[in-house]
Amino acid sequence: MDNNPFEAPRTSASSREADPDKLYVRDGVVFAPIVAALPERCAACGSADVSKTDTQSLSWSPLWARMTILLSPLVAIAAILFTRKTSTLTVSLCASDVHRIQRNTRVGWAGLLVGAGLIVGSILFVDGLRGGFFVVLGVGVAAFFVAIWAFTQTIVVKPKYIDKTEARYVGVHPDVLAAIERGDT
């Protein structure tokens, strides 16, 4: 009987998608096992000239757990820690992207330190600054935003979803996605 409502659903997945130990791509998202390696191409720019291969431990928590920050930071920390899932991914990068990530990391740390110093300094020396208090405080807050921006620019591959057996990643260059579809490793 072709239209049996009690029959288990059938999928029309390709043989690559049916194998849980292989990488595959659907709609620009990389589906991978919990421990996986991307092809030997730069994940940021797609270049075949790879200078660094790094194994990263990535974590993910559902959006609802992250949104509990609106209730309380303590509730958010508990929800994120309770729902967090991790995966391991080996990512390759070219020399120019390694340099860019290192530069953005330095800018992030400098912005964090300058921002913290200016905020603490403006609070400690509020009497001496008089009218300049808000200027110094504003520059300190702006430095924090620069630090946040710089640190987010260091992330190449981002986990979109992780469960016990599978992880989904976004941010992978289209050339690497094409290499996955071809079966290159």
Side-chain angles (χ1 to χ4, degrees), residues 61 65-66 68-69 72-84:
S61 61
R66 289 175 273 159
T68 57
I69 190 76
S72 162
L74 187 58
V75 171
I77 290 170
I80 290 170
L81 289 176
F82 182 71
T83 61
R84 187 179 72 174

Side-chain angles (χ1 to χ4, degrees), residues 11-55:
T11 61
S12 61
S14 70
S15 62
R16 186 177 301 154
E17 292 176 1
D19 188 356
D21 293 331
K22 297 240 179 169
L23 297 172
Y24 65 94
V25 177
R26 187 181 323 142
D27 298 328
V29 177
V30 176
F31 289 74
I34 292 299
V35 178
L38 291 177
E40 288 282 327
R41 297 184 73 82
C42 179
C45 69
S47 170
D49 185 25
V50 173
S51 70
K52 181 180 178 184
T53 301
D54 189 26
T55 301

Side-chain angles (χ1 to χ4, degrees), residues 32 37 39 56 64 68-69 77 81 90 94 111 121 130 154-155 162 173:
Q56 302 173 348
W64 70 264
T68 57
I69 190 76
I77 290 170
L81 289 176
T90 303
C94 67
R130 293 191 183 101
T154 63
I155 302 170
I162 300 173
H173 193 272

Side-chain angles (χ1 to χ4, degrees), residues 75-142:
V75 171
I77 290 170
I80 290 170
L81 289 176
F82 182 71
T83 61
R84 187 179 72 174
K85 306 282 190 231
T86 59
S87 67
T88 303
L89 184 67
T90 303
V91 178
S92 300
L93 294 170
C94 67
S96 64
D97 285 315
V98 168
H99 177 68
R100 177 185 56 83
I101 289 170
Q102 289 172 344
R103 182 191 67 228
N104 287 337
T105 301
R106 286 190 301 269
V107 168
W109 281 111
L112 197 62
L113 293 173
V114 167
L118 288 174
I119 290 171
V120 169
S122 68
I123 292 170
L124 292 176
F125 303 111
V126 68
D127 292 335
L129 293 173
R130 293 191 183 101
F133 168 76
F134 289 109
V135 173
V136 174
L137 184 66
V139 172
V141 171

